[in-house]
Amino acid sequence: MLQVSYHPLFGSPDADAVFRSSEGTHYRLHSFVLRTTSGFFRPMLSLSDINSIGSSPDPSSEASSIGLQETDGVLTRLFIMISGMEIPQWDSLDEIEEVLHAAEKYDMPGPISILRSVIISHHFMAEPLHVYAIAARYQWEEVLQNAAEACFAIPIHQQNYLSVLKRIPTDDLLRLIDLRRERRDAFMRAINNEVQFTDGCSRDECVCGRATDRHALYRFKLSVYKEMDEKPIARNMDDEDWKAARRLWNHKCLFCGTLVYDRIATMEGIRPCIDMLPTQLRPRS
């Protein structure tokens, strides 16, 4: 008869429950661990049933194990977490999601809480929309909020984000879109209020007495609108790579050559507007 091989971390003969992954790898675990960490296995592994589930006089028998649908990678990480072992570094959010689905399936709140903390790390927040989709599935409001703010820096409407957007529940997707729109509109209201700019920006005449050419300001505002619609992070307008801002600061009177817009004073008026932009998702409907 073919001898059953066990995962090297889960092969103790003292363990009384045996599981088999979809790849054929066997795992021995103590039923006490499973009863205390899994609502799914708790009733199956009651004291009266231990001898009839996953444990038989013939440990080499394939029939003596409980077959599970998950792969080696998923089960190994899941069993490591509930057994209190050192958890290997996570490679991707996709890997985390697979384990999360298994933890949800087997009603294991411990691993779920661990993974909730893992996905808000700086490493995984590099994919904020993916984190937002995961948090939306499990209704982790704090993670949702953190991910929503991180999403300000990315253009979520681009084609490469479509597959992730489709996975987000409708209400949570609308909450994210609404927040981004609120930030864009609030910022445009602020910079359209000429009080937010310097006196030089609001005057109708240059010091030379000629009418002020305001085309640079109009182009700047249009650029801001497009930028905020795509990525409502309200970028630093001192960024020298932003052509619209550079044109504004360098704009001179056509007649006397005087700079029309005072960069330093104008930024002093704009920065408080950025600080006051909304950041909070609205409550769920």
Side-chain angles (χ1 to χ4, degrees):
M1 182 176 294
L2 181 65
Q3 182 68 34
V4 171
S5 62
Y6 291 92
H7 188 281
L9 295 177
F10 299 96
S12 172
D14 296 332
D16 52 2
V18 182
F19 297 92
R20 183 179 70 257
S21 75
S22 62
E23 300 175 57
T25 301
H26 288 71
Y27 298 80
R28 278 192 173 274
L29 286 91
H30 293 278
S31 58
F32 173 78
V33 171
L34 292 161
R35 288 199 307 272
T36 55
T37 60
S38 169
F40 179 87
F41 291 116
R42 187 174 300 120
M44 295 175 59
L45 297 171
S46 62
L47 289 173
S48 60
D49 294 334
I50 289 177
N51 291 330
S52 62
I53 298 179
S55 179
S56 78
D58 181 6
S60 66
S61 171
E62 187 81 8
S64 68
S65 60
I66 302 172
L68 302 178
Q69 297 177 338
E70 287 71 30
T71 63
D72 289 0
V74 172
L75 289 182
T76 298
R77 286 186 175 273
L78 192 64
F79 292 155
I80 281 175
M81 283 191 284
I82 66 172
S83 300
M85 300 179 183
E86 182 178 354
I87 304 171
Q89 183 175 347
W90 298 92
D91 296 325
S92 68
L93 284 170
D94 289 334
E95 181 183 42
I96 289 175
E97 273 197 283
E98 290 180 345
V99 179
L100 264 174
H101 291 164
E104 179 184 31
K105 174 181 176 181
Y106 298 123
D107 190 8
M108 295 179 172
I112 290 175
S113 66
I114 292 172
L115 295 174
R116 183 176 60 226
S117 299
V118 169
I119 67 170
I120 61 174
S121 68
H122 178 74
H123 175 68
F124 291 117
M125 273 298 180
E127 299 179 62
L129 191 61
H130 196 166
V131 172
Y132 189 90
I134 295 173
R137 172 185 171 90
Y138 295 98
Q139 297 190 3
W140 295 336
E141 195 63 28
E142 183 178 351
V143 180
L144 266 177
Q145 181 61 51
N146 291 336
E149 293 180 34
C151 282
F152 294 158
I154 65 172
I156 67 170
H157 301 298
Q158 288 188 356
Q159 185 69 26
N160 55 306
Y161 292 110
L162 184 59
S163 60
V164 182
L165 291 171
K166 288 180 177 179
R167 297 167 45 197
I168 302 174
T170 302
D171 186 48
D172 286 314
L173 178 57
L174 291 176
R175 294 170 73 202
L176 179 61
I177 293 173
D178 287 347
L179 176 58
R180 293 169 70 89
R181 185 184 298 116
E182 288 171 11
R183 284 179 63 84
R184 179 201 67 194
D185 293 347
F187 193 54
M188 293 311 300
R189 284 194 299 270
I191 67 170
N192 280 328
N193 180 352
E194 291 183 299
V195 176
Q196 305 299 327
F197 285 85
T198 67
D199 291 339
C201 289
S202 62
R203 66 190 176 191
D204 295 322
E205 292 185 355
C206 179
V207 291
C208 67
R210 302 294 186 112
T212 301
D213 178 6
R214 304 180 69 98
H215 287 90
L217 178 59
Y218 298 146
R219 287 195 297 268
F220 171 72
K221 289 182 178 181
L222 178 60
S223 178
V224 168
Y225 183 88
K226 291 179 178 178
E227 174 94 5
M228 290 292 289
D229 190 55
E230 184 175 347
K231 295 183 293 184
I233 193 172
R235 65 184 292 172
N236 185 355
M237 295 178 195
D238 287 331
D239 188 348
E240 294 183 358
D241 293 330
W242 194 5
K243 291 182 180 179
R246 189 166 66 244
R247 290 195 194 103
L248 185 69
W249 309 137
N250 294 334
H251 182 60
K252 298 178 180 180
C253 173
L254 297 175
F255 300 97
C256 70
T258 301
L259 287 172
V260 176
Y261 301 102
D262 185 323
R263 175 177 180 173
I264 296 176
T266 302
M267 284 306 303
E268 289 178 354
I270 291 177
R271 288 193 183 99
C273 302
I274 297 174
D275 294 338
M276 292 187 293
L277 293 179
T279 59
Q280 299 296 307
L281 293 164
R282 63 166 171 77
R284 281 194 173 86
S285 300

